[in-house]
Amino acid sequence: MSDERLVLSSTAPGEPRIDGLAVVDVDGAPLVVCTGFYALWSWAPLQDEWRERPLAYAFAEAPQAAEHPDAANDVDSVAVAVSDGRVVVAAGGDEQGAAVWDLDSGELLRGATCDDPYVSSVATVDGDGSPLFVASSGIHWDGVRVWGLSDEESPVELDTGSIWGLATANVDGRSLVVGGGEGVVEVWDAANGEQVASFSLEDDEQRALAVALARLDGRPVVVAGTDSGKVYVFDLSGNEGDDPVHGPLTGHEDGINALDVAEVGDRAVAVTGGEDGTVRIWDLGSGRQIGPPLIGDSSSVEAVAVTRMQDRAVAVTAGRDGVVRIWDLSL
């Protein structure tokens, strides 16, 4: 293993555990938002400044809010966006539906209800206008929901089975949502809920726990990491039919929990984090791993996000040891 790409690392305060993270650009600098064990923090890497971010209870309008005044939010998955100059956070967990807050004030902008599906994954929809978010529930409920900040707008339901991993991207002017299920990876148009594509994994018992949308040689591709430790790349333009671009990428000794993608120079790369405690970088064109595995979480890597910091592409990773690490992708 190697840590030569490590730029910076810092440990979250309080309970040493991170289940999810998201990154947003604030005034030209990255801000990392982390969730784990009923808490939410932000970390400004350039200042190495941590702040705990108390959030109003998501069920503020529900009867149990009065019965349990000390109840805490169950937030395992998180997404962030900037709306009218403020950072807004969408989050939920294994026992709570998705809600939206103002990060700085903790004010609840859109609450959860007792009937909302629990959350296995949540992502920000890449598009113009007021922020939209998308959430799935894994084994708890079938389907995927797209929703905004206002309680007055009903969520758009995407018809599908159990979905564990979610990602979005703007592809040729369309906001697309990709979801990883059991033996399948599906893609939808967020604007109308129309299914754009569906790809089958070689083993229909594999679950795609982490997904992303990238560009490879100018064409859009779907990247999926599975609980068997394999990475698949599918051509969204249809040139390869339903077959992957090349054989699955292998190297992780256990399941892949998280991944993200980036363009580094003239190469499309994916960064994966796994149960084996490693972070790995892949060349999506050749299907080969770039360099040795990176030292990661001592138990498992739970979250990966690619961003830019000081004009270079970096990957932000975190896991159950509570340490956030930033890796240089340009080496």
Side-chain angles (χ1 to χ4, degrees), residues 228-244:
S228 65
K230 297 178 180 179
V231 180
Y232 290 83
V233 182
F234 296 101
D235 186 351
L236 194 54
S237 67
N239 291 340
E240 305 287 341
D242 294 334
D243 296 327

Side-chain angles (χ1 to χ4, degrees), residues 320-331:
R320 293 298 175 92
D321 65 354
V323 180
V324 180
R325 296 175 173 88
I326 297 182
W327 309 92
D328 190 346
L329 298 180
S330 63
L331 295 178

Side-chain angles (χ1 to χ4, degrees), residues 122-326:
V122 61
T124 305
V125 176
D126 189 356
D128 298 325
S130 182
L132 293 175
F133 301 97
V134 58
S136 64
S137 293
I139 62 173
H140 299 296
W141 301 82
D142 288 345
V144 173
R145 286 185 167 188
V146 182
W147 36 274
L149 300 183
S150 173
D151 284 320
E152 297 177 359
E153 299 177 8
S154 299
V156 175
E157 303 279 351
L158 306 184
D159 186 23
T160 183
S162 298
I163 296 293
W164 282 269
L166 281 174
T168 76
N170 189 288
V171 178
D172 300 329
R174 290 194 298 177
S175 294
L176 299 186
V177 177
V178 56
E182 185 165 343
V184 67
V185 179
E186 298 176 273
V187 184
W188 303 270
D189 188 321
N192 54 26
E194 175 189 354
Q195 187 179 81
V196 175
S198 180
F199 303 100
S200 298
L201 304 177
E202 63 179 13
D203 182 349
D204 60 11
E205 293 185 359
Q206 292 181 66
R207 291 187 300 170
L209 300 181
V211 291
L213 287 155
R215 281 201 173 271
L216 179 61
D217 298 327
R219 54 183 173 165
V221 295
V222 174
V223 186
T226 72
D227 57 2
S228 65
K230 297 178 180 179
V231 180
Y232 290 83
V233 182
F234 296 101
D235 186 351
L236 194 54
S237 67
N239 291 340
E240 305 287 341
D242 294 334
D243 296 327
V245 173
H246 40 59
L249 288 56
T250 59
H252 279 286
E253 297 176 1
D254 210 329
I256 295 170
N257 296 321
L259 70 81
D260 203 353
V261 294
E263 290 187 12
V264 182
D266 59 355
R267 289 198 295 189
V269 304
V271 183
T272 56
E275 285 285 336
D276 59 4
T278 68
V279 174
R280 297 171 188 256
I281 306 173
W282 309 88
D283 184 317
L284 295 180
S286 67
R288 297 175 181 173
Q289 185 172 306
I290 301 174
L294 307 180
I295 297 172
D297 192 319
S298 58
S299 56
S300 67
V301 181
E302 299 292 324
V304 174
V306 168
T307 188
R308 296 195 67 82
M309 187 174 74
Q310 297 178 321
D311 294 326
R312 59 179 168 180
V314 297
V316 185
T317 68
R320 293 298 175 92
D321 65 354
V323 180
V324 180
R325 296 175 173 88
I326 297 182

